[in-house]
């Protein structure tokens, strides 16, 4: 078989007949599990220490700089983690209250950031009389943005 045909066959992604499927495992969480502080959760990739199972024992320890944008990122991450937890634990009143608190904090933080530094997305309303979303600097242009 020539290399071209071999490469085409390799790219087709066929499984052998009766190939076993992978069995993912996610530990079951009890109600009101312990939680990491938001900044640590973002670095570890989960809000819940019980789900913190580093791949091959490699642990992310790199700290993020403390800026208004990273604070918003921390809140958004914690909010998403709580939403996933509430999908499986809808009766956990403490988690729901924490979720609502993060919702309010994130909304307020985004509004304050938008007023001070400009919009993070085109969805957040700004009081400008003109459409300024396309104006520089863009949110991801770190050097051009002034954060206080």
């Amino acid at each position: 078989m020539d290399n071209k045909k071999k490469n085409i066959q390799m790219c087709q992604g066929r499984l052998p007949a009766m190939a076993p499927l992978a069995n993912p495992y996610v530990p079951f969480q009890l109600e009101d599990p312990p939680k990491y502080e938001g900044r640590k959760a973002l670095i570890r990739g989960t809000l819940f220490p019980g789900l913190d199972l580093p791949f091959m024992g490699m642990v992310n320890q790199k700290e993020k700089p403390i800026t208004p944008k990273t604070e918003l990122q921390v809140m958004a991450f914690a909010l998403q983690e709580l939403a996933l937890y509430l999908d499986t634990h809808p009766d956990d009143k403490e988690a729901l209250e924490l979720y609502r608190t993060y919702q309010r904090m994130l909304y307020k933080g985004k509004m304050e950031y938008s007023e001070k530094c400009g919009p993070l997305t085109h969805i957040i309303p700004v009081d400008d009389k003109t459409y300024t979303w396309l104006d520089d600097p863009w949110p991801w242009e770190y050097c051009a943005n002034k954060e206080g």
Side-chain angles (χ1 to χ4, degrees):
M1 178 182 301
D2 68 346
N3 281 342
K4 187 174 182 181
K5 281 185 181 180
K6 195 180 223 181
N7 286 339
I8 290 172
Q9 284 183 339
M10 288 175 62
C11 294
Q12 291 177 348
R14 293 188 182 141
L15 289 173
M18 304 301 292
L21 296 176
N23 292 313
Y25 172 75
V26 176
F28 182 76
Q29 288 179 276
L30 299 175
E31 213 164 283
D32 194 26
K35 295 165 196 69
Y36 283 137
E37 175 271 325
R39 296 185 63 69
K40 185 172 183 177
L42 181 64
I43 292 164
R44 296 305 296 255
T46 181
L47 184 62
F48 305 103
L51 298 181
D52 191 358
L53 306 169
F55 179 69
M56 296 181 65
M58 294 182 285
V59 176
N60 184 13
Q61 300 287 352
K62 188 175 180 184
E63 293 288 327
K64 289 212 163 260
I66 298 174
T67 66
K69 265 192 239 168
T70 56
E71 292 305 307
L72 291 176
Q73 186 180 14
V74 165
M75 285 186 275
F77 181 78
L79 186 65
Q80 183 60 43
E81 284 283 284
L82 286 165
L84 292 170
Y85 172 79
L86 286 166
D87 285 346
T88 57
H89 298 78
D91 297 327
D92 188 334
K93 303 295 182 211
E94 238 178 83
L96 180 60
E97 184 54 38
L98 187 57
Y99 176 80
R100 296 286 183 231
T101 299
Y102 271 106
Q103 276 185 316
R104 290 187 293 272
M105 287 171 40
L106 183 59
Y107 179 79
K108 182 181 176 197
K110 283 182 175 183
M111 292 301 116
E112 288 173 2
Y113 184 92
S114 294
E115 288 172 11
K116 188 175 181 182
C117 303
L120 287 164
T121 69
H122 64 89
I123 298 169
I124 296 176
V126 179
D127 291 334
D128 293 340
K129 302 278 188 244
T130 61
Y131 184 76
T132 59
W133 174 245
L134 296 177
D135 295 348
D136 289 330
W138 288 72
W140 53 84
E141 294 177 318
Y142 304 111
C143 296
N145 286 302
K146 295 177 187 160
E147 293 190 344

